[in-house]
Amino acid sequence: MKVAVYPGSFDPVTLGHLDIIERSCEIFDQVIVTVMYNKSKSPMFTVEERVQLIKDATKHLKNVVVDCHEGLLIDYLKSKEVFIIVKGLRAISDFEAEFQMASVNQKLCHKIETVFIMTRTEYMYLSSSIVKEVASFNGDISNFVTENVQLAIASKMGGNNE
Ligand code: ADP
């Protein structure tokens, strides 16, 4: 069975992430979406909330598992015995950091392969942080995230972003 891990902060999951998940599901038998966290960061959503939002958004996909991990991705991969990482690539700006990370991961464990899936042009400029920024000014984020995520952001911000 070909299994891949799609890691990220997913704070929160966007339509750009979902597109990568859906396309990965066509390529791999199982895709584990892993919320990576770091206690020193202060995200908008807790790990549990991020996991739940991804679960809600991927209900229609039978071969997705949602999980979380604190620490090095490589340790997570070893614990799961999975050696394929899926990453989304947006603008050229993503490339350098991703290239560095893929090279380091391969140095740490030669079995690891990173597979890059190119963003669809409509999601090229989409990131979780831009969604939060637009929402903080009461902008319309309906083209960027699912309805569930819109509601979750609205409730975090204590207002309504409809
Ligand atoms: P961000 O906070 O920048 O949205 P994440 O750490 O949550 O990033 O992203 C996890 C993975 O998803 C990364 O590989 C990232 O490049 C990819 N990704 C994020 N947004 C998009 C998008 N709009 N299109 C394609 N890939 C994306």
Side-chain angles (χ1 to χ4, degrees), residues 41-68:
K41 286 195 182 162
S42 42
M44 172 178 268
F45 292 97
T46 65
V47 181
E48 294 72 24
E49 288 169 334
R50 283 182 268 164
V51 165
Q52 192 54 50
L53 288 172
I54 300 170
K55 281 186 178 165
D56 293 342
T58 56
K59 267 197 204 117
H60 59 297
L61 300 166
K62 299 283 165 270
N63 52 340
V64 168
V65 171
V66 188
D67 197 8
C68 60

Side-chain angles (χ1 to χ4, degrees), residues 118-137:
M118 211 176 79
T119 181
R120 286 195 198 284
T121 44
E122 62 260 47
Y123 301 133
M124 185 150 180
Y125 296 102
L126 185 52
S127 67
S128 300
S129 37
I130 201 78
V131 167
K132 287 180 279 190
E133 192 168 334
V134 172
S136 73
F137 293 109

Side-chain angles (χ1 to χ4, degrees), residues 39-159:
K39 288 206 186 91
S40 66
K41 286 195 182 162
S42 42
M44 172 178 268
F45 292 97
T46 65
V47 181
E48 294 72 24
E49 288 169 334
R50 283 182 268 164
V51 165
Q52 192 54 50
L53 288 172
I54 300 170
K55 281 186 178 165
D56 293 342
T58 56
K59 267 197 204 117
H60 59 297
L61 300 166
K62 299 283 165 270
N63 52 340
V64 168
V65 171
V66 188
D67 197 8
C68 60
H69 178 72
E70 184 184 21
L72 276 184
L73 177 60
I74 190 126
D75 294 332
Y76 179 77
L77 295 169
K78 283 180 178 165
S79 73
K80 295 278 163 194
E81 295 196 19
V82 173
F83 298 98
I84 304 172
I85 304 171
V86 168
K87 285 290 186 109
L89 263 193
R90 283 163 294 191
I92 297 170
S93 53
D94 270 350
F95 180 79
E96 208 167 316
E98 294 294 353
F99 184 75
Q100 182 183 33
M101 235 183 294
S103 312
V104 167
N105 280 329
Q106 208 173 41
K107 276 260 177 282
L108 294 172
C109 174
H110 73 280
K111 276 206 220 170
I112 289 179
E113 269 317 331
T114 306
V115 174
F116 292 100
I117 298 183
M118 211 176 79
T119 181
R120 286 195 198 284
T121 44
E122 62 260 47
Y123 301 133
M124 185 150 180
Y125 296 102
L126 185 52
S127 67
S128 300
S129 37
I130 201 78
V131 167
K132 287 180 279 190
E133 192 168 334
V134 172
S136 73
F137 293 109
N138 252 337
D140 178 10
I141 53 169
S142 58
N143 286 325
F144 306 146
V145 294
T146 62
E147 220 175 301
N148 257 352
V149 174
Q150 279 183 69
L151 293 172
I153 293 179
S155 93
K156 279 279 167 191
M157 293 189 165

